[in-house]
Amino acid sequence: MRILVAGIIVNLCMGILYAWSVMKKALVIDYGWSNADASLPYTTAIVVFALSLLVAGVLQDRVGPRRVLQVGTVLTGLGMLLSGLSDSVMLLTITFGVVTGTGIGFGYACLSPSAMKWFHPSKKGLVNGLIAGGFGLASLYLAPITSWLIEDYSISTAFIVLGAGVLLIAVPAASTIINPPADYTPEAPKNQTAAAANKPVANATWRQMLKTPQFYMMWVMFAFSSAAGLMVIGNITSIAGIQAQIEEAAYLVGILAIFNTGGRVVMGILSDKIGGIRTLLIAFALQGLNMVLFATYDSSIMMMVGAALAGVGYGTLLAVFPSLTTDFYGLKNYGTNFGVLYTAWGISGVIGPIIAAIVVDTTGNFNMAYSISAAMMAVCVVLALVIKPVNSEELVAQTA
């Protein structure tokens, strides 16, 4: 439990990405940057985050989580401090986009694999949901704190204070996270049957994983569903202004954060009960229906419903795909394997915003973006219906 709590604390600090919308606004207003320039550090951070998570996954499988986490939290805090001293697009792209993005990727890569090793496999959905929930919950406090710091002081001060907070809180918490001893066996729940407890799972390497069709199906599902969710998350205030003439839509960001976090925990628990694929199928269907109907949301109430469904649909992905990776390919090489799969999220972080930007600049609304997202969710539903669990014996035989 101590490892789980420490992991949540680290993610509450590392979720600094969720405060960027507030920072972007200040860069445009206070510094006179264009929207494109103000978006560059964030876009860079997303791509670097996904790539560094892959590298960190390999490292943590080899040397354990503590050292990689310490490097990650230090880089995150240091990048934020240096961002406070940056006064150009290029410098901020390097300090926030590259340094902080690398730190977040290093930190995020280590928390789930370490925590899962301390708990019985039947609880992996719950564990992943709570760990991922800490990252999603960060926006509830980071956004208002960042806004207050910018309004009362400056954006430079906001970067420095937040960076100092990461160094003072996240680094010590990261230093407590370790893997269990080699002979450690987590206690099975009382209702766990012997057959389920002894269900064999091959510990596949990333090369073995890439030889299975399930990986590519998972990659497409992760990329398409994340792109649809990020399209809404990144544009909810603009969508509310265009469709419902809501000028102050900051409350929708809070609703997204709450249901994003709740979706990670609740759907993580559900995946322990009914399985990861069935849980994803539910999330895909809900998100697809939401995308089909989103163009009709023209009131505050309907916008709140749309934001809530988008939050749950997106949050489910971050809780279930890590669990599904261990279900299919084992826990031993999880850090590396999930790092490879997580490249799908990095791609989605580019696809979603680009689709939205092109559509709204061309048509003046987001309707076509909803249609594209609905089509991607339809593909996800089909893949979830046809994908089958990896046969451990065949995996070992085919890749030996």
Side-chain angles (χ1 to χ4, degrees):
M1 183 59 70
R2 175 180 59 84
I3 300 296
L4 183 59
V5 172
I8 294 172
I9 291 173
V10 171
N11 261 352
L12 282 169
C13 296
M14 304 291 269
I16 200 73
L17 282 174
Y18 287 111
W20 186 258
S21 61
V22 178
M23 297 173 179
K24 176 185 174 183
K25 182 179 179 181
L27 291 172
V28 172
I29 295 175
D30 298 344
Y31 287 7
W33 291 10
S34 68
N35 281 292
D37 286 344
S39 297
L40 184 59
Y42 176 73
T43 303
T44 302
I46 288 180
V47 175
V48 172
F49 174 16
L51 294 176
S52 62
L53 188 142
L54 172 58
V55 176
V58 175
L59 291 175
Q60 81 91 27
D61 283 342
R62 294 179 178 178
V63 304
R66 177 186 286 176
R67 293 179 182 176
V68 181
L69 267 172
Q70 288 173 329
V71 171
T73 50
V74 168
L75 283 176
T76 302
L78 181 61
M80 294 296 292
L81 291 176
L82 293 175
S83 295
L85 304 177
S86 302
D87 57 0
S88 70
V89 177
M90 181 59 67
L91 281 176
L92 193 59
T93 299
I94 294 172
T95 57
F96 186 87
V98 177
V99 180
T100 298
T102 299
I104 296 173
F106 269 52
Y108 197 84
C110 301
L111 298 175
S112 286
S114 178
M116 281 193 290
K117 290 173 183 177
W118 286 95
F119 291 85
H120 192 266
S122 63
K123 296 182 179 180
K124 59 183 176 296
L126 170 62
V127 171
N128 280 309
L130 290 172
I131 290 290
F135 200 84
L137 194 63
S139 61
L140 284 181
Y141 81 94
L142 281 176
I145 288 177
T146 303
S147 180
W148 166 69
L149 287 170
I150 292 174
E151 290 177 3
D152 285 16
Y153 300 97
S154 66
I155 187 171
S156 296
T157 301
F159 276 124
I160 292 172
V161 171
L162 293 175
V166 171
L167 293 176
L168 292 174
I169 299 173
V171 175
S175 300
T176 68
I177 296 177
I178 57 174
N179 284 332
D183 58 350
Y184 175 79
T185 301
E187 182 180 354
K190 294 181 180 179
N191 61 350
Q192 183 76 22
T193 64
N198 297 319
K199 182 180 178 180
V201 177
N203 284 307
T205 65
W206 67 271
R207 292 183 179 87
Q208 293 173 328
M209 179 179 70
L210 291 181
K211 294 181 180 180
T212 65
Q214 286 90 341
F215 167 78
Y216 299 97
M217 297 168 76
M218 289 170 61
W219 195 97
V220 171
M221 288 190 291
F222 200 1
F224 280 12
S225 55
S226 294
L230 289 171
M231 189 277 293
V232 175
I233 291 172
N235 295 279
I236 189 63
T237 55
S238 298
I239 291 171
I242 292 174
Q243 290 182 204
Q245 291 73 54
I246 301 173
E247 295 183 2
E248 296 296 333
Y251 66 94
L252 292 175
V253 177
I255 290 174
L256 266 170
I258 292 171
F259 281 87
N260 181 2
T261 302
R264 299 180 189 208
V265 178
V266 173
M267 300 300 263
I269 295 173
L270 182 63
S271 71
D272 287 335
K273 304 295 183 182
I274 67 173
I277 295 299
R278 291 179 179 176
T279 305
L280 285 176
L281 184 57
I282 293 172
F284 293 159
L286 285 174
Q287 190 73 297
L289 179 62
N290 196 35
M291 291 297 98
V292 170
L293 297 176
F294 223 105
T296 67
Y297 299 162
D298 57 2
S299 68
S300 179
I301 295 297
M302 294 309 298
M303 278 292 163
M304 291 169 67
V305 171
L309 290 176
V312 171
Y314 179 74
T316 300
L317 312 177
L318 282 306
V320 176
F321 273 109
S323 301
L324 202 59
T325 303
T326 63
D327 284 344
F328 283 10
Y329 304 108
L331 185 57
K332 181 179 179 181
N333 302 307
Y334 165 82
T336 303
N337 292 342
F338 187 64
V340 174
L341 179 64
Y342 205 76
T343 57
W345 182 87
I347 296 297
S348 74
V350 177
I351 294 175
I354 286 179
I355 289 175
I358 293 175
V359 168
V360 75
D361 286 345
T362 303
T363 67
N365 58 55
F366 290 87
N367 293 355
M368 182 59 69
Y370 302 144
S371 298
I372 295 172
S373 296
M376 291 193 295
M377 296 313 304
V379 173
C380 292
V381 168
V382 172
L383 290 176
L385 288 171
V386 301
I387 192 172
K388 302 295 182 183
V390 175
N391 186 303
S392 296
E393 293 180 0
E394 290 182 2
L395 177 64
V396 173
Q398 292 173 3
T399 57

